[in-house]
Amino acid sequence: MLFKALGQSTNPAVLFFHAMGVVGDSSEPVARVLAQHYFCIMPTSTVYCPGQKYVSKADELRQMETFLKEQGITRLALVVASSIGADLAVAFLSQTKVPVDHVFIDGGQFAQIGSVTRHIMVPFLYLAIKSLYRSKGKTLKKIMWCDDDNIKPYFITAGQGLTYGNIHRQMGDSLVNAPLPALPESLQAHCFFEFGSKEDHFKYRDAVMKAYPKAHYPVFRDYDHMQYQIRDPKGFAQMLLTIMKKDAMPELDFLQ
């Protein structure tokens, strides 16, 4: 993995888990706002790190725990995960010894997919992400709902570093067809699993609600996948600040 951080390391820490096909820097527009008062940690999955070999989800978590320990992080004010980052985030939350105060998951990809299907998906995912690098982002709209310049550079960087072997190994132990990791009810009460009403990932909401019944499930009406975060990172960051300060969602016009 590669780690980037913004803010003073003595401030409360916020840990980001990025989406598929982008690097950790994709959280920087949000982190820049939070970094005034928080220490924002943005890892990039080994999958997209040139010269590094993805070994397993367990190894990703080990690297993350090692970094937190080296930085002297003994508590996390917030964990933020986007899309497939939610798969790694809930694994982290289920086993970390570091106390976590709040969790916000944006359009979490909680697909539980059989091994054969995941194996078939690999070449399509590899070619799609590589095409973003080779086309300088021109194929983005064919893959996602948007081709927004706010997110495009992070797809291009990820595509440059991606290898077939890394994404093959990642999909070997991600989105597995198994029950979601257990989370303590005390933590669930401070977890916010948000979905946009228009996004395809909305279909996972019922399964997540069943797995984590004590959590909160805000819906962004008429929003697509990660749309608020991508289009308005400052507004998204202000929402996260409200959650950390009040343990509740702010009043948003599109919240249902």
Side-chain angles (χ1 to χ4, degrees), residues 5-14 34-41 68 70-77:
L6 292 176
Q8 296 294 321
S9 60
T10 52
N11 285 337
V14 176
L34 301 181
Q36 298 175 49
H37 303 288
Y38 292 89
F39 182 54
C40 297
I41 304 164
L68 295 177
E70 290 174 347
Q71 295 295 313
I73 304 299
T74 58
R75 190 175 199 91
L76 290 167

Side-chain angles (χ1 to χ4, degrees), residues 238-252:
Q238 292 296 333
M239 176 195 68
L240 297 177
L241 287 169
T242 299
I243 289 171
M244 286 189 282
K245 292 175 181 177
K246 298 183 177 181
D247 198 28
M249 291 288 295
E251 292 186 7
L252 301 169

Side-chain angles (χ1 to χ4, degrees), residues 22 24 31 40 50 69 85 94 98 104-105 121 123 128 159 166 185 195 200 208 216 219 221 238 249:
V22 296
C40 297
K69 185 176 181 180
S94 71
V98 178
F104 189 89
I105 294 183
M121 288 169 62
N166 274 351
E185 289 188 357
F195 294 92
D200 186 57
V208 183
H216 306 273
V219 174
R221 184 179 59 253
Q238 292 296 333
M249 291 288 295

Side-chain angles (χ1 to χ4, degrees), residues 18-23 48 84 129 132 154-156 158-159:
H18 65 78
M20 177 174 281
V22 296
V23 292
Y48 307 108
I84 199 177
I129 297 169
L132 292 167
Y154 310 114
F155 275 103
I156 295 170

Side-chain angles (χ1 to χ4, degrees), residues 138-223:
K138 292 180 181 178
T139 59
L140 181 57
K141 199 164 188 176
K142 296 179 181 179
I143 298 166
M144 275 187 72
W145 59 271
C146 73
D147 58 354
D148 200 294
D149 286 341
N150 290 342
I151 195 72
K152 190 180 295 183
Y154 310 114
F155 275 103
I156 295 170
T157 301
Q160 182 178 16
L162 180 68
T163 66
Y164 188 86
N166 274 351
I167 196 168
H168 186 273
R169 285 184 288 271
Q170 182 197 33
M171 292 306 295
D173 67 356
S174 299
L175 309 178
V176 297
N177 187 20
L180 295 174
L183 298 179
E185 289 188 357
S186 57
L187 177 59
Q188 290 182 37
H190 305 288
C191 292
F192 296 77
F193 293 88
E194 171 273 321
F195 294 92
S197 66
K198 290 171 59 177
E199 69 173 300
D200 186 57
H201 291 183
F202 192 85
K203 63 190 176 187
Y204 306 133
R205 187 170 183 260
D206 287 346
V208 183
M209 291 177 73
K210 185 176 180 180
Y212 310 124
K214 301 297 183 182
H216 306 273
Y217 293 91
V219 174
F220 289 169
R221 184 179 59 253
D222 296 330
Y223 271 64

Side-chain angles (χ1 to χ4, degrees), residues 118-137:
R118 283 183 280 124
H119 180 77
I120 294 171
M121 288 169 62
V122 170
F124 295 99
L125 291 170
Y126 175 76
L127 291 173
I129 297 169
K130 273 296 184 184
S131 75
L132 292 167
Y133 165 61
R134 292 167 180 152
S135 71
K136 301 188 187 310

Side-chain angles (χ1 to χ4, degrees), residues 212-238:
Y212 310 124
K214 301 297 183 182
H216 306 273
Y217 293 91
V219 174
F220 289 169
R221 184 179 59 253
D222 296 330
Y223 271 64
D224 215 317
H225 186 51
M226 295 174 57
Q227 185 172 357
Y228 187 35
Q229 180 181 168
I230 294 170
R231 292 279 172 86
D232 186 4
K234 184 176 180 180
F236 190 86
Q238 292 296 333

